[in-house]
């Protein structure tokens, strides 16, 4: 809000702007947490919205920074919630991390250490990489005794850090040691989201919290492969014959979803069903402004039927 008045750059979705938006794009890119679901609870009206957009001939793609699951696992989650979405329509930060290594010719003799969960491990294995860490290392402890030396695998050539509910001191030290002591070891972050709707009840620390801990310990910034990085978009464009100017990114975060859309030339629609509230959008200090905003994706159905 500027001088007590709504920011003119914040345009609410109306029947006219909804029709104009749908007519101007061929594909909708949806974030998942806070847009499609919260935790394992589907947000009201999502099935009806997807059905309507598909009837209108729109391509639907799901782009999530949540690395806990692989594309296969996310497809299974969609089905469990009554939504038919194929693996090919899903782009995750766990998949992006594996593809980054593949496209950059990561040496096959090198290993990958994972601070994260099964989604990253599965995508790495599907891409042909040897990896370890993940939930198993969440069971390991360290005793800081005199003259204790922490052993690590010298063949680790990359450390990937993502959302990790099993994050602990052992993992942080393993990641720190590999990045600091193994020559040319890559430090890759799936994303830097500070929080996320891991359950339907409240927000929880996001991957950014784990990334910050490792980054601080090595005094080095990571390579970020998830939103708002354009790497995911580059891969998406190779998979579909689409132009970014004919896409709309729909998300609940300004600094990842909306910035990702803006960075890659998409139209942007912010929904207030997740992490962002309207006062944050209208705050004079905010410099990330979506093309349009609305309460939830379900609003599209009502507005397009007017």
């Amino acid at each position: 809000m500027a001088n007590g008045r709504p920011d003119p750059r914040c345009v609410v979705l109306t029947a006219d702007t909804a029709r104009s938006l749908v007519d101007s794009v061929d594909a909708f890119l949806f974030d998942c947490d806070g847009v499609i679901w919260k935790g394992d609870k589907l947000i009201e009206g999502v099935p009806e919205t997807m059905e309507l957009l598909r009837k209108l001939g729109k391509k639907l793609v799901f782009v999530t920074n949540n690395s806990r699951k692989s594309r296969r696992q996310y497809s299974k989650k969609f089905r469990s919630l009554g939504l038919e979405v194929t693996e090919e329509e899903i782009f995750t930060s766990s998949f992006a991390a594996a593809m980054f290594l593949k496209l950059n010719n990561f040496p096959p003799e090198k290993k990958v250490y994972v601070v994260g969960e099964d989604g990253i491990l599965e995508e790495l294995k599907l891409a042909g990489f040897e990896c370890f860490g993940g939930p198993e290392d969440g069971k390991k402890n360290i005793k800081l005794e005199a003259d204790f030396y922490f052993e690590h695998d010298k063949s680790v050539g990359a450390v990937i850090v993502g959302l990790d509910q099993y994050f602990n001191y052992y993992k942080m030290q393993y990641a720190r040691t590999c990045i600091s002591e193994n020559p040319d070891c890559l430090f890759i972050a799936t994303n830097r989201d500070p929080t996320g709707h891991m359950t339907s009840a409240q927000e929880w620390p996001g991957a950014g919290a784990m990334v910050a801990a490792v980054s601080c310990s090595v005094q080095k910034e990571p390579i970020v492969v998830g939103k708002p990085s354009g790497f995911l978009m580059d891969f998406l464009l190779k998979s579909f014959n689409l132009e970014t100017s004919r896409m709309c990114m729909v998300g609940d975060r300004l600094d990842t979803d909306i910035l990702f859309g803006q960075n890659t030339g998409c139209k942007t629609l912010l929904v207030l069903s997740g992490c962002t509230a309207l006062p944050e959008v209208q705050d004079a200090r905010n410099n990330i402004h979506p093309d349009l905003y609305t309460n939830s994706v379900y609003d599209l159905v009502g507005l397009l039927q007017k």
Side-chain angles (χ1 to χ4, degrees):
M1 211 162 276
N3 300 319
R5 295 188 299 272
D7 191 317
R9 290 169 293 185
C10 300
V11 181
V12 67
L13 192 70
T14 64
D16 287 341
T17 55
R19 280 191 289 270
S20 178
L21 174 65
V22 170
D23 290 343
S24 68
V25 300
D26 301 316
F28 283 86
L29 314 182
F30 289 97
D31 178 43
C32 293
D33 295 312
V35 178
I36 303 299
W37 54 59
K38 286 184 178 181
D40 291 324
K41 187 176 179 181
L42 198 63
I43 290 174
E44 183 184 3
V46 167
E48 293 88 341
T49 306
M50 288 174 55
E51 182 182 8
L52 176 60
L53 292 176
R54 281 180 168 148
K55 280 182 179 177
L56 293 172
K58 307 303 174 183
K59 178 72 180 172
L60 306 186
V61 182
F62 301 87
V63 186
T64 177
N65 267 355
N66 194 327
S67 61
R68 292 183 61 207
K69 290 180 169 61
S70 64
R71 291 183 302 161
R72 179 190 63 82
Q73 291 168 324
Y74 269 114
S75 181
K76 185 176 179 181
K77 178 173 181 174
F78 274 106
R79 286 196 302 273
S80 73
L81 294 171
L83 304 173
E84 282 303 318
V85 176
T86 67
E87 289 183 36
E88 291 72 27
E89 294 172 313
I90 302 168
F91 288 79
T92 68
S93 61
S94 53
F95 174 67
M99 290 304 101
F100 179 86
L101 293 179
K102 196 158 195 173
L103 292 174
N104 285 279
N105 300 312
F106 185 72
E109 69 275 11
K110 294 285 188 179
K111 298 176 186 175
V112 183
Y113 183 70
V114 174
V115 178
E117 301 190 23
D118 289 333
I120 301 173
L121 293 168
E122 182 169 316
E123 293 292 1
L124 287 170
K125 290 172 184 175
L126 287 170
F129 298 116
E130 186 175 351
C131 55
F132 66 104
E136 278 301 308
D137 279 5
K139 304 171 185 176
K140 298 177 181 178
N141 299 308
I142 290 176
K143 286 187 178 181
L144 297 175
E145 298 171 338
D147 301 321
F148 173 64
Y149 181 80
F150 189 87
E151 297 284 352
H152 75 286
D153 192 327
K154 306 295 193 296
S155 66
V156 170
V159 172
I160 297 176
V161 182
L163 183 60
D164 189 351
Q165 65 179 311
Y166 310 106
F167 188 65
N168 61 12
Y169 204 53
Y170 178 93
K171 289 185 178 186
M172 186 158 56
Q173 173 65 352
Y174 209 107
R176 189 208 67 79
T177 309
C178 290
I179 295 166
S180 299
E181 298 184 13
N182 291 5
D184 301 318
C185 182
L186 298 172
F187 174 22
I188 299 169
T190 59
N191 66 92
R192 301 192 86 155
D193 292 21
T195 59
H197 279 284
M198 311 313 164
T199 70
S200 59
Q202 62 186 157
E203 290 185 62
W204 295 75
M210 293 89 208
V211 173
V214 175
S215 179
C216 181
S217 73
V218 297
Q219 291 295 287
K220 182 178 180 180
E221 291 299 307
I223 300 164
V224 181
V225 294
K227 297 173 292 185
S229 164
F231 179 75
L232 263 176
M233 180 60 79
D234 293 339
F235 211 84
L236 191 152
L237 292 175
K238 290 176 183 176
S239 304
F240 302 109
N241 184 26
L242 296 168
E243 296 179 13
T244 55
S245 62
R246 299 283 300 175
M247 297 180 187
C248 178
M249 178 67 215
V250 184
D252 70 318
R253 294 197 74 99
L254 293 169
D255 57 352
T256 53
D257 303 322
I258 302 307
L259 190 57
F260 171 74
Q262 292 176 346
N263 287 346
T264 55
C266 299
K267 294 175 177 64
T268 54
L269 172 61
L270 176 75
V271 290
L272 305 175
S273 52
C275 294
T276 304
L278 187 56
E280 183 181 344
V281 184
Q282 296 176 328
D283 193 305
R285 293 166 295 182
N286 171 44
N287 59 5
I288 304 171
H289 300 278
D291 294 318
L292 298 160
Y293 75 88
T294 193
N295 288 322
S296 76
V297 294
Y298 194 27
D299 292 340
L300 278 168
V301 175
L303 292 171
L304 290 172
Q305 291 175 344
K306 283 188 176 180

